[in-house]
Amino acid sequence: MNDYIFRGVTQSNHKPSVAAYFEPRYNVNKDLQLYFGVSGESISFANRAAAEIDVYGGIRPTFGAFAFDIGVWGYLYPGGTCQYGAANAFNGGLTDAAGRPLSAECLANALVNANTMKKDVSFFEVYGKGTYTINDSWAVGFTEFYTPSFLNSGAWGNYTSVTGKWTAPSAMFGSSGVGMYVSGEFGRQWFGTTDSFYGTPAFPNGIHYADYNTWNVGIGFTWKVFTLDLRYSDTNLSKGDCSVFTGAFNASVGTTTITGNNPLGNSSNWCGAAGIAKLSFDLTAMSNLK
């Protein structure tokens, strides 16, 4: 893909990203499937983590036209380095805003723009998804994700969205085997308050990340095992709140976005409008790997 966007926020600094996954599945019966998966994505985080490794699993029950997906998703980010911004260093630069000691690694590293990110930002979410298939062309759905500590920040996170998809009739492109769909999603991400590592002079015990809306709409083309998805994604996060949330290493320092959460007024475009082109292929052992 030309940009790895997750809930409206780039995970790859608006640069290309590659991903791969492996997902064994077991069909208990025609209405219940168990699954476990592992995936990996290339990323570009402020803490310079080597990659994103996902481990997930759950169940997929079906009741007539209703299909559900319930499980747990773990996001692992190995290889990170603590980045502690000088603007948030207290007590001679040895502790965070609440007086808790910083590690030697945190004290030795600071981004030029003084943004902050922990060494390990791994976390997990529990989730539930539902899809209602209206007919061969239309399907609508919802998603719900919750974590007690988003990106290991100490702030709980809750993401809810509604989805819709229209699949073109199979005869639209004749006998070419090409398929087409149009899909979209509108979601909202809520947050709690972080721990003191991300505290500022105004909020020494932690900051409340800005809640935000995100949406995307796109068109996809399928042929055999290949899918080309072209999508527009956006959020209503301000550039200042985006810098606070992502800790972007290339955020610019300014004066128009200064807040209690953002004492240096840093601004980042990691949460703005983006176009995504993604080419993928999925191989199923029983049908594609004979």
Side-chain angles (χ1 to χ4, degrees):
M1 63 198 101
N2 70 309
D3 196 349
Y4 174 19
I5 300 289
F6 178 71
R7 298 177 191 168
V9 180
T10 182
Q11 310 293 287
S12 59
N13 186 24
H14 291 307
K15 300 293 175 57
S17 173
V18 294
Y21 80 100
F22 175 64
E23 187 181 288
R25 303 165 183 165
Y26 175 70
N27 294 321
V28 179
N29 54 50
K30 67 181 182 65
D31 295 319
L32 180 62
Q33 182 182 86
L34 309 179
Y35 66 95
F36 172 81
V38 178
S39 67
E41 296 84 12
S42 60
I43 60 172
S44 184
F45 274 16
N47 69 351
R48 301 304 189 180
E52 176 183 319
I53 305 298
D54 301 325
V55 180
Y56 60 93
I59 61 173
R60 294 178 177 135
T62 301
F63 304 94
F66 293 92
F68 297 92
D69 186 346
I70 303 165
V72 179
W73 197 292
Y75 306 82
L76 308 176
Y77 302 97
T81 301
C82 179
Q83 299 286 343
Y84 196 81
N88 296 335
F90 296 85
N91 300 318
L94 299 178
T95 73
D96 65 21
R100 294 181 173 86
L102 296 168
S103 70
E105 181 180 280
C106 294
L107 295 173
N109 295 286
L111 297 170
V112 174
N113 59 22
N115 266 348
T116 297
M117 195 172 207
K118 289 181 177 179
K119 172 186 177 70
D120 182 13
V121 293
S122 302
F123 71 108
F124 75 91
E125 291 182 311
V126 293
Y127 62 88
K129 306 176 186 179
T131 302
Y132 176 68
T133 300
I134 301 172
N135 51 43
D136 289 342
S137 295
W138 291 96
V140 294
F142 71 90
T143 69
E144 169 66 25
F145 290 77
Y146 175 81
T147 176
S149 183
F150 194 91
L151 284 174
N152 194 30
S153 65
W156 59 262
N158 190 88
Y159 178 74
T160 303
S161 73
V162 291
T163 62
K165 184 176 183 179
W166 175 76
T167 302
S170 58
M172 176 173 284
F173 295 94
S175 61
S176 65
V178 174
M180 186 188 79
Y181 63 83
V182 177
S183 64
E185 177 183 23
F186 180 87
R188 182 163 179 83
Q189 178 76 63
W190 289 273
F191 293 111
T193 300
T194 71
D195 56 38
S196 61
F197 182 88
Y198 292 99
T200 65
F203 304 105
N205 293 315
I207 58 176
H208 187 288
Y209 287 142
D211 304 331
Y212 70 92
N213 298 328
T214 179
W215 54 92
N216 67 77
V217 63
I219 184 171
F221 300 91
T222 61
W223 182 71
K224 296 185 177 180
V225 300
F226 298 95
T227 299
L228 175 63
D229 190 279
L230 306 174
R231 190 158 301 273
Y232 169 81
S233 173
D234 205 350
T235 78
N236 66 344
L237 262 177
S238 70
K239 290 186 175 182
D241 287 333
C242 182
S243 176
V244 172
F245 175 49
T246 63
F249 54 78
N250 56 357
S252 58
V253 178
T255 58
T256 59
T257 57
I258 292 177
T259 64
N261 282 0
N262 190 19
L264 291 183
N266 289 353
S267 297
S268 172
N269 69 347
W270 282 13
C271 311
I276 311 161
K278 179 180 179 181
L279 177 63
S280 61
F281 65 92
D282 295 86
L283 300 175
T284 302
M286 297 301 292
S287 55
N288 303 125
L289 299 179
K290 291 181 179 179

